[in-house]
Amino acid sequence: MVRRNVFVVGGFVVLVLLAGCSAAGSLDMEAATDDGIAQEASRTVPETADEPVENGAVVRAAIENGSATARSQEPLVAPGLPFRSEGRYYNVSSSVIDRQPGTFYRLGIDYNGTAQDNATVGYENLSARDRTVLSQVLPPVTVATKPGPDYYFDGTYTATERTQSTLLAADTEAVRYEGETYPIVVTETDSITLPTREYTATVVANDTGAYAQQLRSEYVFTLSGLSDAERSVVTEAINDSYYANTDRDEAFTAVLERFRQQDAITQNEYRGVWLVRYDREVYVAELSYEGFDME
């Protein structure tokens, strides 16, 4: 959490970032609230289906119906923290329930091209699979800037879907969508196996208070027995933020090691979030250690 101070100098607003940007590491500690704990330990449901590892439509369908199925080469929902939706918290897991032979297509769409009417098919006359594939690019997702394809996208078809496809027919050169004509080209094909996955949502907690209590029970540890220098690090982290300017900061390194001996709510190679009890108060502690050797 980077601290910012705003100053007015000679009528101009100046935004100053206080340390942190180039620091080797940092520690920020804030008093733990149910909302704050749950926020750190959950994901929002994506608004769209554009994100490759967190497909919003699949997550929402699984939460609303208990499960959802979708076909994709890779899972559409990445393992990780629970999703929060309308006050509840859900894990969404996936498993392969079917595999079929199929074909991969790499396609390109031209947002400012033209085509003959007899080589153009109306969007409403496409197969269901064609429309699903084109939903990635229609309505247009970028501005046309040059002749030829403006955006490339992928589509997969089973043998049956390929037979039913109008988009992939030899005499189709373009699609008419909401009165506009968009040329489509196939640039690559490959034979593949198509997995169908079932995504299952399970309730982790029915409300924020219950979820925060679960996390407190599982993750809170007590930080005690610190040296004066280490206590100074923690005190500054509580009052503002503590920044370690080099990886030779011995007090910060010692505190970092104490945290890393405990289970984190979330952690990667650059940062982590812990729940810690210090002087009888529970804090959400965010540690950054990008400049430190974690081997």
Side-chain angles (χ1 to χ4, degrees):
M1 302 178 186
V2 178
R3 303 288 182 179
R4 295 170 170 84
N5 275 8
V6 178
F7 300 93
V8 178
V9 180
F12 294 93
V13 175
V14 180
L15 177 65
V16 179
L17 301 185
L18 298 179
C21 289
S22 59
S26 64
L27 173 62
D28 187 283
M29 292 171 60
E30 295 186 357
T33 64
D34 288 351
D35 285 341
I37 294 171
Q39 181 84 11
E40 290 288 353
S42 61
R43 294 179 276 179
T44 58
V45 177
E47 293 295 327
T48 70
D50 296 335
E51 302 174 49
V53 297
E54 290 184 5
N55 186 298
V58 169
V59 174
R60 283 192 297 274
I63 288 173
E64 291 170 5
N65 304 311
S67 65
T69 58
R71 196 178 70 215
S72 62
Q73 290 298 100
E74 300 297 330
L76 296 175
V77 181
L81 295 170
F83 291 96
R84 55 182 180 273
S85 176
E86 298 183 354
R88 291 187 172 186
Y89 298 82
Y90 301 83
N91 278 329
V92 177
S93 59
S94 69
S95 60
V96 175
I97 58 174
D98 186 37
R99 296 182 188 273
Q100 296 184 58
T103 306
F104 164 88
Y105 294 88
R106 180 72 165 167
L107 305 103
I109 186 168
D110 187 346
Y111 285 130
N112 64 346
T114 60
Q116 297 295 320
D117 285 347
N118 61 2
T120 301
V121 61
Y123 186 83
E124 67 278 4
N125 296 321
L126 296 172
S127 70
R129 183 59 187 165
D130 288 340
R131 291 194 295 272
T132 297
V133 170
L134 284 175
S135 68
Q136 304 171 79
V137 294
L138 292 174
V141 297
T142 189
V143 177
T145 58
K146 63 185 186 315
D150 298 292
Y151 195 87
Y152 291 91
F153 60 105
D154 300 337
T156 58
Y157 287 76
T158 64
T160 299
E161 290 169 341
R162 175 63 183 87
T163 300
Q164 297 170 345
S165 172
T166 310
L167 177 66
L168 299 175
D171 57 354
T172 296
E173 297 179 5
V175 170
R176 184 177 295 107
Y177 178 82
E178 295 186 350
E180 300 292 333
T181 297
Y182 301 103
I184 305 287
V185 296
V186 176
T187 63
E188 181 184 345
T189 65
D190 193 16
S191 296
I192 58 173
T193 298
L194 298 172
T196 297
R197 290 179 168 83
E198 181 176 48
Y199 298 85
T200 303
T202 54
V203 176
V204 175
N206 286 313
D207 58 57
T208 295
Y211 186 42
Q213 185 55 46
Q214 288 182 28
L215 295 165
R216 289 175 189 269
S217 298
E218 183 173 355
Y219 290 104
V220 171
F221 73 96
T222 298
L223 186 64
S224 61
L226 301 179
S227 68
D228 289 344
E230 293 161 5
R231 288 186 65 85
S232 178
V233 169
V234 174
T235 299
E236 189 168 337
I238 292 170
N239 293 335
D240 187 9
S241 290
Y242 181 88
Y243 295 102
N245 293 319
T246 76
D247 61 359
R248 295 185 297 276
D249 186 323
E250 294 182 358
F252 179 84
T253 301
V255 172
L256 173 60
E257 288 304 315
R258 293 285 295 272
F259 275 87
R260 284 177 51 83
Q261 291 170 9
Q262 308 296 327
D263 291 333
I265 292 176
T266 179
Q267 185 179 10
N268 59 32
E269 59 185 314
Y270 304 116
R271 65 177 292 275
V273 176
W274 283 260
L275 285 178
V276 56
R277 180 180 289 105
Y278 179 74
D279 283 353
R280 298 183 297 279
E281 179 75 47
V282 175
Y283 296 89
V284 175
E286 180 179 339
L287 264 168
S288 172
Y289 36 82
E290 186 171 355
F292 286 77
D293 184 1
M294 293 292 102
E295 295 296 329

